[in-house]
Amino acid sequence: MKCPYCNNEMEKGLIHSPNELNWIKGEKKRLFAKASFYPDSVILSEFSAIKGSACVAYNCATCKKIVIDYGENT
């Protein structure tokens, strides 16, 4: 994948967590809770007691940016 910021090649990997991964609208820090508690949240990866949670992500070492593909479950 090409970086959308600098057009260099990005390295494919995973964002991994022992908890559900979600994106919550806004910049205010909130209590840790399931995405379902927050309107307009996006679940990046459902929790699995065996595997944890993970989503595909691409790293640009040049820009120090991560692009997450949450449509592809791991």
Side-chain angles (χ1 to χ4, degrees):
M1 175 180 198
K2 295 285 187 183
C3 176
Y5 296 94
C6 71
N7 209 35
N8 285 335
E9 195 62 34
M10 299 181 83
E11 186 173 15
K12 186 177 182 179
L14 296 173
I15 301 290
H16 195 262
S17 173
N19 302 305
E20 174 187 77
L21 289 172
N22 55 56
W23 175 89
I24 299 172
K25 186 177 181 176
E27 296 181 27
K28 183 180 174 185
K29 288 188 178 184
R30 306 195 183 177
L31 296 175
F32 288 112
K34 294 182 69 69
S36 59
F37 285 101
Y38 299 104
D40 301 323
S41 64
V42 176
I43 296 173
L44 304 176
S45 178
E46 297 279 348
F47 172 73
S48 165
I50 297 171
K51 296 189 297 183
S53 299
C55 60
V56 173
Y58 297 85
N59 176 43
C60 179
T62 304
C63 294
K64 306 291 188 232
K65 302 280 188 190
I66 301 282
V67 175
I68 297 173
D69 180 2
Y70 66 90
E72 182 179 335
N73 292 324
T74 304

